[in-house]
Amino acid sequence: MEKNMYSIIIPTYNERLNIALVVYLVFKHLREFDFEIIIVDDSSPDGTQDIVKQLQLLYGEERILLRARKKKLGLGTAYCHGLKHASGDFVIIMDADLSHHPKYLPSFIRKQKETEASIVTGTRYVRGGGVHGWNLMRKLTSRGANVLAQTFLWPGVSDLTGSFRLYKKSVLEDVIGSVVSKGYVFQMEMIVRASRKGYHIEEVPITFVDRVYGTSKLGGSEIVEYLKGLIYLIFAT
Amino acid sequence: MKHIVKILGLLVTISAIWIGLLQASIVSSSYAWLLPVYLIILLGCYGLFMVGVGLMFFPTCPQESHLLQKDIAEAKDFLKRKGIDVNSD
């Protein structure tokens, strides 16, 4: 049986502590798998890259790749940049802030093997998954946004804005080329375009512990951005 | 096919049925004219209902926060032993 190689792309910006924790947990949970971690750092001023270099000494440069960029350039291009250096047959994208727990990585891999799916996406909104750290208002906007999307867009997945996903490398390359949106609408466009192209998409439940939300609010501008994104996707996909 | 085309197709089908109902007088004329309004109200109610149900059964995971704290402590301990200094912020 051929052994699959998984390239994990983690964009970072000022994640000095979190990236070390994430790397430790990835190694802890993926012991039986062949993988590499590609860290795309946008010149973090807090010394994230120094920590990554120390991690490279500890775990090996073949396992931890630091592919930095000169300035803060955004998520979509970070994935493209990471993709260029990915040598795996599968690419996993995840956040560096521990809202995506590496303990779910085996379940993504298992689901893909069982179903031969092209994409496995993590969903927070099904039984077995969940969110911690959201107040009622946040849950309301999330649920409202989801109902709007399901009613008018028929996306084919239950969690549209999630960014914890496993892609077959060729599929990611194909879809990412046709995506134009930025921010979290980028994630929405990725999965909707993949769905429209007929790729087999499976979901696994994940839990999402939001430690960041307390500091930032979901304001009117995010809601407007979401609605614009939804309308764009209805017309463009 | 773009999604908007699918939606327009659906609207055209519904309109055709509506016009058919008006022509064939199966339903009384005054009632038939208001059918689109009823449909929109129904859609709105469905949407609100789905939001309410979703909110009631929103999956939460309070225990995950504790598990995460344990994992963080374990990771920090490991990193300290290996000499990687992260200075928690």
Side-chain angles (χ1 to χ4, degrees):
Chain A
M1 192 180 95
E2 71 194 70
K3 198 118 193 281
N4 293 127
M5 183 11 179
Y6 299 90
S7 297
I8 305 171
I9 301 178
I10 307 179
T12 60
Y13 188 75
N14 284 346
E15 298 286 6
R16 185 192 160 89
L17 169 62
N18 287 329
I19 192 61
L21 303 175
V22 168
V23 167
Y24 168 79
L25 290 169
V26 169
F27 275 88
K28 176 179 173 186
H29 291 281
L30 280 188
R31 272 194 248 274
E32 322 91 64
F33 298 102
D34 199 10
F35 68 93
E36 61 182 2
I37 304 176
I38 304 171
I39 297 170
V40 181
D41 182 70
D42 285 355
S43 293
S44 301
D46 74 345
T48 299
Q49 291 188 31
D50 297 326
I51 293 297
V52 174
K53 292 193 182 120
Q54 289 184 55
L55 292 166
Q56 283 179 310
L57 290 173
L58 183 57
Y59 291 106
E61 276 184 30
E62 344 73 63
R63 302 296 227 120
I64 300 182
L65 280 60
L66 176 61
R67 298 290 177 262
R69 302 193 297 176
K70 296 276 171 24
K71 53 182 193 163
K72 199 158 193 262
L73 286 172
L75 216 54
T77 48
Y79 295 139
C80 287
H81 188 75
L83 198 52
K84 281 191 238 167
H85 304 282
S87 40
D89 345 67
F90 293 93
V91 176
I92 296 170
I93 60 165
M94 57 188 290
D95 289 351
D97 64 359
L98 282 176
S99 53
H100 297 153
H101 199 302
K103 69 184 176 188
Y104 293 106
L105 289 169
S107 67
F108 279 84
I109 293 172
R110 233 178 295 123
K111 187 71 168 190
Q112 192 284 324
K113 285 196 170 145
E114 280 165 12
T115 60
E116 302 203 358
S118 298
I119 302 175
V120 179
T121 176
T123 170
R124 300 161 283 182
Y125 302 141
V126 300
R127 177 156 301 151
V131 179
H132 178 80
W134 283 4
N135 63 9
L136 186 65
M137 201 56 208
R138 183 68 184 87
K139 286 183 195 170
L140 181 66
T141 42
S142 153
R143 188 60 196 158
N146 202 268
V147 168
L148 270 179
Q150 297 298 334
T151 307
F152 294 107
L153 191 59
W154 318 342
V157 293
S158 62
D159 189 344
L160 209 57
T161 55
S163 50
F164 197 178
R165 295 183 182 153
L166 179 152
Y167 294 83
K168 273 189 191 163
K169 183 156 156 222
S170 55
V171 173
L172 181 58
E173 282 165 345
D174 179 28
V175 179
I176 209 166
S178 43
V179 171
V180 297
S181 307
K182 309 249 178 281
Y184 63 83
V185 182
F186 168 86
Q187 302 294 356
M188 291 165 67
E189 191 176 352
M190 284 288 289
I191 204 72
V192 171
R193 287 213 184 267
S195 177
R196 303 291 188 241
K197 283 181 191 244
Y199 284 117
H200 180 181
I201 303 173
E202 291 285 339
E203 290 192 301
V204 292
I206 55 164
T207 56
F208 183 94
V209 178
D210 195 340
R211 298 147 76 211
V212 172
Y213 174 59
T215 56
S216 66
K217 286 174 99 132
L218 190 73
S221 62
E222 276 91 1
I223 294 174
V224 168
E225 189 186 337
Y226 177 82
L227 291 173
K228 280 159 111 183
L230 198 57
I231 292 170
Y232 164 75
L233 289 173
I234 290 171
F235 281 89
T237 64
Chain B
M1 193 197 298
K2 298 275 185 245
H3 190 71
I4 184 69
V5 174
K6 283 188 224 156
I7 292 183
L8 289 173
L10 194 63
L11 287 174
V12 164
T13 313
I14 293 172
S15 306
I17 295 172
W18 179 50
I19 292 170
L21 281 173
L22 284 172
Q23 302 278 34
S25 310
I26 297 171
V27 187
S28 91
S29 185
S30 55
Y31 180 68
W33 275 105
L34 287 174
L35 277 178
V37 180
Y38 294 146
L39 210 63
I40 292 171
I41 294 174
L42 198 66
L43 191 66
C45 290
Y46 167 80
L48 286 171
F49 175 74
M50 289 304 284
V51 171
V53 166
L55 211 56
M56 247 198 327
F57 296 109
F58 205 107
T60 55
C61 47
Q63 75 285 359
E64 288 296 328
S65 183
H66 296 138
L67 291 174
L68 184 61
Q69 292 309 317
K70 284 218 266 167
D71 282 333
I72 290 175
E74 179 189 319
K76 278 187 177 167
D77 184 56
F78 173 85
L79 293 166
K80 202 149 125 208
R81 276 186 285 122
K82 297 288 178 180
I84 297 183
D85 172 32
V86 280
N87 308 9
S88 17
D89 38 9

